[in-house]
Amino acid sequence: PFVADATELVDSLSNGKDVVLAGDLSFKAGTTNGYGVTGVTVTSGTFDGNGNELNIKGAYDTWDSAVYVSAGTIKNLTIDSGFRGLFVNHDSSHSERVILENVIIDGPTYTISCDQGTGKGLTATNSSFNSAADFAFKPSTYLLIFTVSTTF
């Protein structure tokens, strides 16, 4: 369904629903992900930004992120905030390959970060990642098994 506010977005994604943003969203991180706080958590399905921007406030500590993901597809979205724009955790109860399509991450200290991994990987197509550090992977994450068709 189309979502227009933070509560609806967080609740829909928490329940594994596919969502499409109705417009830009800016709100304070309020979910704890085991590492820090995050704006939204994606564990399955599709999070379609519909060409909109996600701005998460208050996610600026070392392990905080705008989006925390263990599986699913994120597409047509610009992420401009969070210490880590996208935090991938494949060491959860449900993990699959993470798919990014037409995603722009521009602004966070780390665009994509992973501290755990089961070799599920990440595929990014038509995406752009721009920040001071771009990627942060723990050597044992296996997230380095990914394919990229994108610009850095």
Side-chain angles (χ1 to χ4, degrees):
F2 277 93
V3 295
D5 65 51
T7 301
E8 192 176 16
L9 175 64
V10 171
D11 289 349
S12 294
L13 289 172
S14 295
N15 290 312
K17 294 182 181 175
D18 292 343
V19 298
V20 180
L21 283 184
D24 293 343
L25 274 183
S26 180
F27 59 93
K28 189 171 193 287
T31 304
T32 301
N33 62 26
Y35 288 87
V37 296
T38 192
V40 296
T41 299
V42 179
T43 58
S44 66
T46 300
F47 175 15
D48 185 348
N50 198 28
N52 293 297
E53 187 172 293
L54 181 67
N55 179 278
I56 303 299
K57 299 175 186 331
Y60 304 115
D61 287 335
T62 301
W63 291 104
D64 296 348
S65 61
V67 178
Y68 179 85
V69 60
S70 62
T73 299
I74 300 171
K75 64 183 187 177
N76 307 316
L77 180 68
T78 297
I79 300 168
D80 71 351
S81 55
F83 187 82
R84 300 165 192 277
L86 186 73
F87 189 93
V88 180
N89 183 6
H90 281 140
D91 191 36
S92 62
S93 59
H94 174 77
S95 65
E96 298 173 6
R97 178 172 285 275
V98 173
I99 309 294
L100 304 179
E101 299 172 359
N102 194 33
V103 171
I104 298 168
I105 304 176
D106 191 1
T109 301
Y110 293 104
T111 55
I112 300 174
S113 182
C114 182
D115 192 51
Q116 302 287 338
T118 58
K120 302 297 184 186
L122 174 128
T123 299
T125 56
N126 301 318
S127 296
S128 176
F129 311 118
N130 307 297
S131 75
D134 285 327
F135 302 100
F137 299 108
K138 193 174 185 179
S140 62
T141 62
Y142 303 107
L143 187 63
L144 298 176
I145 304 170
F146 68 91
T147 54
V148 178
S149 301
T150 189
T151 58
F152 293 97

